[in-house]
Amino acid sequence: MTKNEVMKEFLKKTILPIVAALLLFSIFSRIFTENGSIDFFLVWLACGVPFGISKMFTLIPIGFGISGTVGVVALNIVLSGLIGGVILIWKLAVAVWYLPLTVYRLFA
């Protein structure tokens, strides 16, 4: 691999997920603060929605009334937050793994 390819991979797999996670955490930690303490579960759920949005509509609301449709969409958003939270943790673990790997590839 050339140095340019290594740096592109480093940017894609390390820098971008960390910056996205920090940006989302800084936004949602201010929103979900109550009495000076942060509700980390809600922050994790909200930070996971952008990463789990492709899994959002696992249940398609067909044949429901308006209240059933809103309920199923809300359930889909919660499920995408949970799945996306796990994906976010996985991407951050991959970012930590690629940091020493990139240093090794650049200087080997």
Side-chain angles (χ1 to χ4, degrees):
M1 291 182 93
T2 65
K3 284 189 177 186
N4 193 17
E5 291 172 347
V6 170
M7 290 308 289
K8 281 183 184 178
E9 187 176 335
F10 177 71
L11 180 69
K12 186 176 92 175
K13 296 210 177 194
T14 303
I15 301 297
L16 290 178
I18 290 174
V19 168
L22 287 175
L23 178 69
L24 290 170
F25 180 78
S26 68
I27 290 170
F28 291 123
S29 66
R30 291 188 176 118
I31 293 173
F32 296 116
T33 300
E34 185 176 325
N35 296 329
S37 65
I38 299 172
D39 189 356
F40 287 107
F41 179 72
L42 291 178
V43 171
W44 177 59
L45 208 74
C47 288
V49 169
F51 291 96
I53 202 149
S54 62
K55 314 290 188 275
M56 188 174 226
F57 290 103
T58 54
L59 302 173
I60 300 171
I62 296 175
F64 294 106
I66 187 71
S67 61
T69 302
V70 170
V72 171
V73 169
L75 178 66
N76 284 330
I77 291 172
V78 170
L79 287 176
S80 72
L82 290 171
I83 293 169
V86 173
I87 292 170
L88 176 62
I89 290 170
W90 177 254
K91 286 189 180 265
L92 290 176
V94 168
V96 169
W97 172 255
Y98 266 92
L99 195 59
L101 189 65
T102 302
V103 171
Y104 175 73
R105 285 183 180 172
L106 284 177
F107 298 114

